[in-house]
Amino acid sequence: MGAIEKFSADSQVNDIHEFLTFRLGQEEYGIDILKVQEIRGYEQPTRIANAPDFIKGVINLRGTIVPIVDMRLKFNVGEANYDAFTVVIILNIANRVVGIVVDSVSDVLTLEQNQIRPTPEFSGALDVSYVMGLGSIGERMLILVDIERLMTSAEMALIDG
């Protein structure tokens, strides 16, 4: 019984966050690992008429129709090139399965609260409402994306509010 008390009294558990890191161009991003269902190689999705450019289409994932969002196009990070390193991260967000296309997946990093800095203010020139903060490990700087907030936003029109 002492071990249970010790564990529940340990407030450090809530101060540790795990992020799946991925690259878009030269930048490295991180998303909450708990939102990730699986990582797959890129396959050409079926286009949907009148969908925004950043929605590449849909794929059939074991009977589930999954919308695919190209994060390079969504974040305006240059031209999207699909190669052997391009992957789709399948996310489970708000009881909906969504895929995001990224240049490559790096690794899973554990960040403590003191390694996460607040998002800088950019006076409206840049939409940072989907950025949770900046993570730093040594010389590495991660842009931490609130992927649930992004995918459930009205502009994405992917998940019913």
Side-chain angles (χ1 to χ4, degrees), residues 89-155:
I89 302 171
I90 304 295
L91 305 168
N92 197 320
I93 296 180
N95 295 319
R96 178 82 193 266
V97 179
V98 178
I100 59 173
V101 180
V102 300
D103 291 347
S104 63
V105 170
S106 305
D107 49 18
V108 175
L109 291 178
T110 301
L111 295 177
E112 295 181 20
Q113 196 61 44
N114 64 358
Q115 293 174 295
I116 301 174
R117 305 276 177 259
T119 306
E121 294 295 323
F122 288 107
S123 69
L126 182 64
D127 183 4
V128 294
S129 61
Y130 308 119
V131 178
M132 295 169 27
L134 300 174
S136 61
I137 297 179
E139 295 297 310
R140 284 173 81 178
M141 183 68 71
L142 292 175
I143 300 166
L144 303 176
V145 178
D146 185 340
I147 198 70
E148 183 157 359
R149 177 181 274 180
L150 175 63
M151 292 297 152
T152 58
S153 68
E155 71 184 73

Side-chain angles (χ1 to χ4, degrees), residues 52-73:
D53 285 344
F54 59 84
I55 297 181
K56 299 305 293 178
V58 295
I59 62 169
N60 184 336
L61 180 66
R62 296 182 292 278
T64 301
I65 302 302
V66 179
I68 303 297
V69 175
D70 190 314
M71 296 301 282
R72 250 186 189 266
L73 298 175

Side-chain angles (χ1 to χ4, degrees), residues 21-29 72 102-106:
T21 65
F22 61 88
R23 295 194 82 78
L24 294 175
Q26 299 301 311
E27 303 304 322
E28 196 170 16
Y29 295 80
R72 250 186 189 266
V102 300
D103 291 347
S104 63
V105 170
S106 305

